[in-house]
């Protein structure tokens, strides 16, 4: 539980620094859980305009691409715990980016036409590679 909290804190901080991607994810999850009938089309939500999602995705990629962005967990003395904490962080970050990417790529959300390419340049797979996520 302590390890999850430690990793979660780093993830939250990185997402917040990425143009408040954490807030966008909360809003996306709200739409996904309530359905379009209740919440309307995601792209029509004033809190989720395409430009803001694209800006957050660009800031995210820039942030996680910095060599110093990911935590080292130097205070953890056990190598296995250090490795596990780092893996939790990169998996959570990759999952967060994928949630935004999928929201924008789904034509039902109003961001793209059914035959259009996704509006974000990096795919979730490319982000997983950048982060070094091992599957």
């Amino acid at each position: 539980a302590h390890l999850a909290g430690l990793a979660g804190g780093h993830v939250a901080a990185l997402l917040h620094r990425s143009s408040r991607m954490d807030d966008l994810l909360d809003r996306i999850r709200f739409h996904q859980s309530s359905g379009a009938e209740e919440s309307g089309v995601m792209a029509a939500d004033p809190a989720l305009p395409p430009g803001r999602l694209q800006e957050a995705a660009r800031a995210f990629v820039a942030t996680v691409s910095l060599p110093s962005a990911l935590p080292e967990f130097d205070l953890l003395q056990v190598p296995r715990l250090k490795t596990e904490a780092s893996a939790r962080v990169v998996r959570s970050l990759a999952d967060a980016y994928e949630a935004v990417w999928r929201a924008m790529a789904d034509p039902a959300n109003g961001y793209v036409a059914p035959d259009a390419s996704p509006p974000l340049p990096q795919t979730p797979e490319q982000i997983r590679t950048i982060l070094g996520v091992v599957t």
Side-chain angles (χ1 to χ4, degrees), residues 36-58:
E37 303 83 39
E38 266 184 62
S39 61
V41 176
M42 198 179 293
D45 184 335
L48 294 173
R52 181 153 183 238
L53 290 172
Q54 290 168 331
E55 175 191 333
R58 279 192 299 275

Side-chain angles (χ1 to χ4, degrees), residues 1 4 45-46 79 84 92 94 100 102 111:
D45 184 335
E84 186 178 334
S92 294
V100 172
R102 289 196 182 284
Y111 292 107

Side-chain angles (χ1 to χ4, degrees), residues 4-70:
L6 182 64
H10 284 287
V11 169
L14 284 165
L15 291 175
H16 191 75
R17 281 192 307 219
S18 300
S19 292
R20 300 186 63 106
M21 191 179 227
D22 52 340
D23 294 338
L24 298 175
L25 283 166
D26 288 342
R27 195 72 188 156
I28 288 169
R29 288 184 189 114
F30 164 76
H31 277 275
Q32 291 170 336
S33 66
S34 62
E37 303 83 39
E38 266 184 62
S39 61
V41 176
M42 198 179 293
D45 184 335
L48 294 173
R52 181 153 183 238
L53 290 172
Q54 290 168 331
E55 175 191 333
R58 279 192 299 275
F60 175 86
V61 171
T63 299
V64 300
S65 296
L66 295 172
S68 62
L70 299 178

